[in-house]
Amino acid sequence: MSEAAEAKWYVVHTYSGYENKVKANIEMTVQNRNLGDQILEVMVPMESVVEIKNGTSKAAEKKMFPGYVLIHMIMNDDSWYVVRNTRGVTGFVGPGSKPVPLTEREMNALGIKSSGSAAAVVVDYAVGDTVTVISGAWENTVGVIKAVNPAKQSVTITVDMFGRETPVELGFTEIRHLN
């Protein structure tokens, strides 16, 4: 059995409003400690909604599960410790202190395909490419790609926000190469 086959999706409860911070902190720890083979992906599921304010409608992204983060990981003492001791995490979802992975049916309902069943995605974006955002809240923002995730069809770029470099995850359809 390969290591990826042992990886399952777990749900982590966070303080409200800390979902993206928790995601960023876990990803940073994974990078710093070389745990990429144990903690494969951290996700804050988002859905597109249309907000109507002052008579104008505007597309926006909304968290599907406020207060929760999904993590695709191989459960062991190290990975459990890293996630459990991340600032903003209140615990894994499951009875007592035993994390319970999502079932195949629950994952399909969320639109998450188990590894192996995903269609191959051809990506013409690479780390270091300069792109411009063509839709959404970050429209007309220019950024440099820091990470590409073909499975989620997304890239992470950094944008300058409040004088800081802030990572932003965007779908392939929301960006284009800067000419």
Side-chain angles (χ1 to χ4, degrees), residues 2-174:
S2 71
E3 287 203 3
E6 293 175 32
K8 295 189 176 359
W9 284 95
Y10 293 89
V11 181
V12 176
H13 192 264
T14 68
Y15 293 126
S16 185
Y18 274 70
E19 302 89 355
N20 292 329
K21 286 183 187 126
V22 165
K23 178 184 189 300
N25 288 341
I26 291 173
E27 288 172 343
M28 184 76 66
T29 305
V30 166
Q31 199 172 3
N32 291 342
R33 295 189 186 180
N34 283 336
L35 295 173
D37 59 336
Q38 294 174 39
I39 300 175
L40 309 176
E41 187 176 349
V42 184
M43 186 164 82
V44 178
M46 304 292 275
E47 62 183 340
S48 295
V49 294
V50 176
E51 293 178 345
I52 299 175
K53 287 184 183 171
N54 301 330
T56 56
S57 60
K58 182 177 127 187
E61 291 286 303
K62 187 179 128 206
K63 291 180 187 89
M64 287 172 74
F65 310 107
Y68 294 94
V69 174
L70 302 179
I71 303 177
H72 192 211
M73 63 189 275
I74 296 170
M75 184 59 70
N76 60 34
D77 290 345
D78 291 341
S79 61
W80 181 90
Y81 183 85
V82 164
V83 173
R84 184 64 190 89
N85 290 290
T86 298
R87 188 175 174 169
V89 170
T90 59
F92 281 94
V93 171
S97 60
K98 186 181 188 316
V100 176
L102 291 172
T103 64
E104 192 78 32
R105 175 187 261 168
E106 290 167 328
M107 290 172 20
N108 290 339
L110 294 173
I112 303 169
K113 302 283 182 245
S114 58
S115 55
S117 65
V121 178
V122 178
V123 183
D124 65 346
Y125 296 110
V127 173
D129 287 359
T130 302
V131 295
T132 184
V133 183
I134 57 172
S135 67
W138 297 100
E139 191 170 358
N140 299 325
T141 301
V142 174
V144 176
I145 296 177
K146 298 296 181 192
V148 178
N149 187 336
K152 286 173 52 185
Q153 297 190 14
S154 69
V155 297
T156 302
I157 67 169
T158 53
V159 296
D160 190 39
M161 191 163 72
F162 307 121
R164 290 169 132 151
E165 290 275 297
T166 305
V168 174
E169 190 173 329
L170 299 163
F172 290 164
T173 59
E174 296 177 277

